[in-house]
Amino acid sequence: MKNGLEDVVAAETQLSDVNGEAGQLVIRGVSLDRLVEYASYEDVVALLLDGLLEGVLEKDNLRKRLGQMRAEVFAHVRAIDDEMLELPPVDIIRALIARLVDGDDLETALRLLAAPAVFLPAILRLKRGETPVAPTPSLSQSADILTMLDATLPSKAQVAALDTYLVTISDHGLNASTFAARVVASTKAGLTSSVLAAISALKGPLHGGAPGPVLDMLDAVGTRENAESWLGQALDRGERLMGFGHRVYRVRDPRADALKGALKLMIAADQVDLDRMHLAEAVEQTALAILKERKPNRPLDVNVEFYTALLLDALKFPRDAFTGVFAIGRTIGWIAHALEQSLDGRLIRPRSVYVGPLPQAA
Ligand code: COA
């Protein structure tokens, strides 16, 4: 038995390939660096769903239908009450998605793609005491999310940065949330159930819950001069440095550089706090040096969450909403994997080894 199923192959997929030794991510035959250069979020949705669902998924049609679906799911925002608003945003998204009908068709898939994109901005506005802004179906998903969040049209650089983020995190092999989605899909429970399971797996700090704590860490470090002693003391206390390390990558996570590229666009448009950026770069360099010294046998490099934190912060998402934004982007990966799993049709049912007392002793 391998604790954490490390290196265990549990599915065949045509969706994405994570090469941990080379630091490469390929999504349906396209490498991530090409994808972030040429593809929009809607392109990646079409790419990942291609051949998995009945229905027309040509890009312009997809953008239109996704926009209409955002307008439809907006009606569910009414279900948010004061008690729900006390929960973290990702938990409210999960509660609202649990109210949606289940199914395995294109309609259900589009509804699930639209839902977190509409719910998160509405939740954040309600938490701030503001009225939710209705979607604008003619906009792209990224432009509409930012418009619903701030009630103003975002800049080109902001839309491009969010789009790059959504493309970058769209799919990533058999990560914990995607595995959860495939397990549920293998029981034929439906796409909504698969996505709900995946969101539950995503929210933990070892998976999609890390970027908020990355900013907490940067705040606690405070200055570049303080980085070495703060990071050293954190490791002395047995803590993990958030935004570093990965189960599969033994080199730098390629998604970190894709997001750094998006941040550069925002820097050029003067929309990034440069002090925070310089502090982050100093923390990154110092952390890499200390981790190399302290864990010589375990290559630990920067992962996607480090630059996610900086990017989403620059886009003015509050840090407790970062996991929710991750869910917006990763839903397409969960749906595609759930569909692929259903097509394969085999129930996922591994075995466990009993190590408890024998009946007589018990
Ligand atoms: N900071 C310090 N040490 C780390 C570390 C980190 N971020 N990540 C791993 N390590 C160390 C562990 O302490 C362990 O050391 P040991 O062998 O001396 O006990 C060793 O590296 C292996 O750790 P392990 O828990 O087996 O790795 P994993 O594959 O289970 O963990 C993560 C992968 C992502 C859970 C882990 O790297 C982590 O907790 N990172 C921080 C959270 C994070 O950024 N999550 C987002 C992931 S995209």
Side-chain angles (χ1 to χ4, degrees):
M1 194 211 65
K2 289 213 172 181
N3 203 357
L5 301 184
E6 189 159 359
D7 294 329
V8 171
V9 174
E12 271 190 346
T13 183
Q14 296 194 10
L15 298 170
S16 58
D17 181 38
V18 181
N19 184 330
E21 304 300 324
Q24 263 173 5
L25 169 61
V26 170
I27 296 182
R28 285 213 128 172
V30 189
S31 68
L32 179 66
D33 51 335
R34 304 283 289 176
L35 216 52
V36 291
E37 203 173 339
Y38 297 110
S40 68
Y41 168 75
E42 282 80 1
D43 288 324
V44 172
V45 170
L47 184 68
L48 280 166
L49 291 185
D50 188 30
L52 291 172
L53 271 177
E54 297 275 324
V56 188
L57 281 169
E58 181 261 323
K59 184 190 162 192
D60 290 340
N61 184 35
L62 177 77
R63 178 172 157 157
K64 198 169 141 206
R65 289 189 66 182
L66 202 50
Q68 289 163 346
M69 201 49 102
R70 286 195 302 274
E72 272 182 41
V73 296
F74 186 66
H76 290 272
V77 164
R78 281 201 306 264
I80 303 174
D81 57 25
D82 288 347
E83 212 170 310
M84 242 194 217
L85 276 180
E86 296 293 317
L87 299 171
V90 71
D91 288 348
I92 309 179
I93 292 175
R94 185 176 55 175
L96 292 173
I97 291 179
R99 302 174 80 249
L100 302 178
V101 288
D102 220 333
D104 275 314
D105 54 358
L106 180 60
E107 195 79 356
T108 310
L110 292 175
R111 193 180 303 111
L112 288 166
L113 292 172
V118 171
F119 296 157
L120 184 65
I123 291 163
L124 297 178
R125 290 187 68 82
L126 285 166
K127 275 182 179 273
R128 298 198 295 243
E130 295 165 355
T131 311
V133 172
T136 309
S138 58
L139 291 176
S140 70
Q141 179 111 323
S142 301
D144 207 9
I145 292 168
L146 295 172
T147 309
M148 286 186 276
L149 186 64
D150 264 349
T152 46
L153 273 181
S155 72
K156 267 189 172 172
Q158 287 169 322
V159 176
L162 181 59
D163 215 60
T164 300
Y165 173 72
L166 298 181
V167 167
T168 301
I169 57 140
S170 58
D171 196 36
H172 201 241
L174 207 55
N175 56 84
S177 58
T178 301
F179 185 50
R182 286 190 83 119
V183 170
V184 173
S186 83
T187 74
K188 310 278 185 211
L191 291 176
T192 309
S193 301
S194 296
V195 166
L196 284 169
I199 291 181
S200 302
L202 180 78
K203 61 177 269 194
L206 298 192
H207 189 4
V214 167
L215 284 191
D216 296 340
M217 179 177 79
L218 292 180
D219 285 349
V221 172
T223 61
R224 284 185 257 182
E225 298 67 41
N226 198 24
E228 194 172 343
S229 67
W230 193 96
L231 296 169
Q233 283 166 20
L235 289 174
D236 290 342
R237 291 191 298 270
E239 290 173 15
R240 290 188 174 203
L241 305 182
M242 288 292 140
F244 296 88
H246 197 272
R247 175 60 66 81
V248 181
Y249 289 120
R250 291 293 168 263
V251 292
R252 196 175 166 83
D253 185 332
R255 298 169 299 172
D257 288 327
L259 298 183
K260 205 172 178 183
L263 263 167
K264 280 188 188 147
L265 285 179
M266 289 189 69
I267 291 172
D270 211 11
Q271 284 168 332
V272 175
D273 173 354
L274 282 182
D275 288 342
R276 157 77 48 91
M277 191 67 196
H278 293 145
L279 172 65
E281 281 169 349
V283 167
E284 180 187 350
Q285 292 317 317
T286 312
L288 292 178
I290 298 182
L291 286 169
K292 199 169 175 187
E293 186 191 310
R294 302 264 187 123
K295 308 272 175 191
N297 301 322
R298 170 78 175 194
L300 292 167
D301 215 316
V302 74
N303 67 40
V304 66
E305 305 295 17
F306 194 77
Y307 281 97
T308 291
L310 297 167
L311 185 75
L312 297 186
D313 186 50
L315 286 170
K316 308 250 178 319
F317 284 100
R319 61 189 74 179
D320 68 346
F322 290 177
T323 313
V325 194
F326 195 153
I328 296 175
R330 183 53 64 81
T331 301
I332 180 56
W334 296 331
I335 290 173
H337 276 269
L339 290 167
E340 196 181 47
Q341 182 66 41
S342 322
L343 288 176
D344 178 36
R346 190 107 169 105
L347 175 73
I348 296 177
R349 205 298 185 195
R351 299 275 297 269
S352 50
V353 179
Y354 180 66
V355 294
L358 295 172
Q360 297 89 324

